[in-house]
Amino acid sequence: MKRKHAKTLNAIFIHPASANIQWQDIEALLVALGAEISEREGSRVGVELFGDARVFHRPHPSPDTDKGAIANIRKWLESNGVKP
């Protein structure tokens, strides 16, 4: 895992959740973990990882991911054994 991906993973696991993690960094981390990313309607993004498919909303107009989405991603990664 590249240093940038490790930094993003650490940021996802910080409590309380950070509000300044950019979505593109999260997408890059998920791809590095083996995820398949697909564009859906509107600002939705499909992510298939760990044999599980999830749909997230790409933030706009700000590139920063909201705390709720970060908490969901953290829980998903944690439940599949991914930790910093």
Side-chain angles (χ1 to χ4, degrees), residues 7-68:
K7 183 178 174 185
T8 302
L9 185 61
N10 285 329
I12 289 171
F13 278 85
I14 289 175
H15 289 282
S18 176
N20 63 353
I21 303 172
Q22 294 196 350
W23 177 254
Q24 66 184 10
D25 294 339
I26 293 174
E27 266 191 42
L29 169 65
L30 294 173
V31 168
L33 292 171
E36 302 257 341
I37 307 287
S38 61
E39 297 295 324
R40 300 284 181 101
E41 54 281 336
S43 61
R44 292 180 187 92
V45 178
V47 180
E48 189 170 332
L49 182 62
F50 313 120
D52 190 14
R54 302 281 174 112
V55 177
F56 297 99
H57 284 86
R58 182 176 284 130
H60 58 82
S62 170
D64 297 333
T65 309
D66 67 57
K67 291 181 181 186

